Amino acid sequence: MKKIMPSYVRVPLIFAVVLAAMEYFIDSGEKPAFVEYPMVALFLGVFLFLLVAIEIVVSAVDKVTYHLLTDEQRKQLEEAQSISFTESAWFQNWMQKLTKSKEIEEEKDVLLDHDYDGIKELDNVLPPWWVYLFYATIFFSVVYLIRFHIVKEYNQDSEFATEMAIAQAEVAKYKTTAPDVTNVDNVVLITDAADLAKGKALYESSCAACHRADGGGGIGPNLTDDHWILGGGIKNVFNTIMEGGREGKGMVPWKATIKPADIQKIASYVLSLRGTNPAEAKAAEGDLWVEEITSAETTEAVKDTVQP
């Protein structure tokens, strides 16, 4: 492979394959994965560094191995294959500048005097690529210190708030096109002011003609008392608006013209009218409704009463 594909082609190709794979498997939205997720960029940087380091080590091993061969073996090797890219003058000069390594014939110039049981040591300088990388980390730390601890551009709290705002905007955008899955089984009471305001607007445009704007009742029953013809609570009110009232004389079903999520807002707004006692309200109709309390809610209520 080394003969077929030189390192200056092999390294970018492997890096591009890994980058493409991460972009394919990591869902980062419209932005590239290494931009959306800094850890991906860090991984790619470390991966590229390792690729280059491996190529340098392999090249050094090849060089040492070649010098250990006899003249006859070298001749046989050169006859078996043509001169590869790693043996070209350009590549050798580039590697020399990158590593500042000494040829075996020049090792005597950097050989230290001491000897440990026949083991000698070379006084080689640090490879320039390592030194430059070390300088880069120092520069990065200075920029990081100034940006986040002196200028205080932003901190983790503000970053979290920004990311949450972006996420909420994406959720809101998704909801505009997402299928509505609200139904009588999973509907819950809404207490958010913005949703209740929308529920009020829908109520006034669709329901006020029969129930009055204040919910006091007209053609339809009073919605502010505790009596309900078809049952109270969020599930019953939601279902009544969805499916309509009593057959032949009740409210028409609204499910064909109002989507379930908006019906949930209307039902929640209707329930918020309880106890408002509007002027000239219609007399109560139906049965007194008492909201059922689940066993979990009962347990929490007991805990609250026994706490000191």
Side-chain angles (χ1 to χ4, degrees):
M1 179 178 177
K2 291 179 63 179
K3 176 64 178 176
I4 299 174
M5 187 181 300
S7 60
Y8 70 93
V9 175
R10 184 168 59 252
V11 170
L13 180 61
I14 295 175
F15 182 79
V17 170
V18 174
L19 176 60
M22 297 189 74
E23 289 292 339
Y24 178 80
F25 289 107
I26 298 177
D27 183 11
S28 58
E30 298 178 355
K31 296 181 180 179
F34 65 89
V35 174
E36 185 70 17
Y37 304 108
M39 289 303 297
V40 174
L42 178 62
F43 170 81
L44 290 173
V46 172
F47 181 71
L48 180 60
F49 167 77
L50 291 177
L51 281 179
V52 175
I54 290 172
E55 289 296 328
I56 292 174
V57 171
V58 170
S59 176
V61 171
D62 288 345
K63 182 186 294 186
V64 172
T65 303
Y66 182 80
H67 281 284
L68 292 176
L69 298 176
T70 63
D71 293 338
E72 183 178 353
Q73 289 173 328
R74 292 179 188 176
K75 184 178 180 181
Q76 291 176 351
L77 180 62
E78 292 173 359
E79 290 176 354
Q81 62 181 28
S82 60
I83 302 299
S84 66
F85 172 80
T86 57
E87 295 173 330
S88 64
W90 182 88
F91 182 81
Q92 294 294 334
N93 292 333
W94 181 77
M95 288 297 298
Q96 177 62 31
K97 293 179 180 179
L98 193 62
T99 62
K100 285 193 175 179
S101 59
K102 295 286 186 179
E103 296 291 342
I104 293 181
E105 293 80 3
E106 301 174 346
E107 287 186 351
K108 62 180 181 300
D109 298 332
V110 292
L111 187 64
L112 296 177
D113 295 334
H114 53 254
D115 186 326
Y116 297 102
D117 295 330
I119 300 175
K120 296 184 179 181
E121 184 179 1
L122 298 177
D123 187 19
N124 284 319
V125 297
L126 287 172
W129 64 266
W130 190 97
V131 175
Y132 296 149
L133 182 63
F134 180 68
Y135 291 157
T137 60
I138 295 175
F139 176 76
F140 175 83
S141 65
V142 172
V143 173
Y144 186 93
L145 176 67
I146 295 174
R147 183 179 181 186
F148 295 106
H149 294 279
I150 298 178
V151 179
K152 296 183 178 179
E153 180 178 346
Y154 65 89
N155 54 30
Q156 289 183 335
D157 292 335
S158 60
E159 184 179 13
F160 175 77
T162 302
E163 292 295 332
M164 287 299 296
I166 294 174
Q168 290 172 358
E170 291 177 350
V171 170
K173 180 180 178 181
Y174 170 77
K175 285 183 177 179
T176 59
T177 57
D180 198 333
V181 295
T182 307
N183 56 55
V184 69
D185 296 320
N186 61 24
V187 66
V188 293
L189 183 68
I190 292 175
T191 58
D192 180 72
D195 288 333
L196 289 177
K198 186 173 182 180
K200 179 181 179 181
L202 292 168
Y203 171 86
E204 291 175 346
S205 62
S206 303
C207 312
C210 295
H211 296 280
R212 286 175 35 184
D214 57 12
I219 299 174
N222 183 356
L223 301 176
T224 65
D225 56 38
D226 293 325
H227 289 73
W228 296 86
I229 297 174
L230 297 176
I234 185 63
K235 291 185 181 296
N236 288 320
V237 176
F238 174 86
N239 188 65
T240 301
I241 300 173
M242 281 277 291
E243 305 297 338
R246 294 164 292 176
E247 186 175 355
K249 59 178 180 179
M251 179 177 62
V252 298
W254 288 95
K255 60 184 179 182
T257 55
I258 304 177
K259 63 182 183 180
D262 288 338
I263 292 179
Q264 179 186 22
K265 295 180 178 66
I266 297 174
S268 298
Y269 172 72
V270 168
L271 293 174
S272 72
L273 297 174
R274 177 178 176 270
T276 54
N277 299 321
E280 300 180 1
K282 192 175 181 180
E285 300 177 71
D287 300 323
L288 180 66
W289 173 263
V290 179
E291 190 74 32
E292 294 182 1
I293 301 177
T294 64
S295 58
E297 292 172 337
T298 304
T299 302
E300 291 298 323
V302 172
K303 288 181 180 178
D304 292 339
T305 58
V306 299
Q307 286 180 350

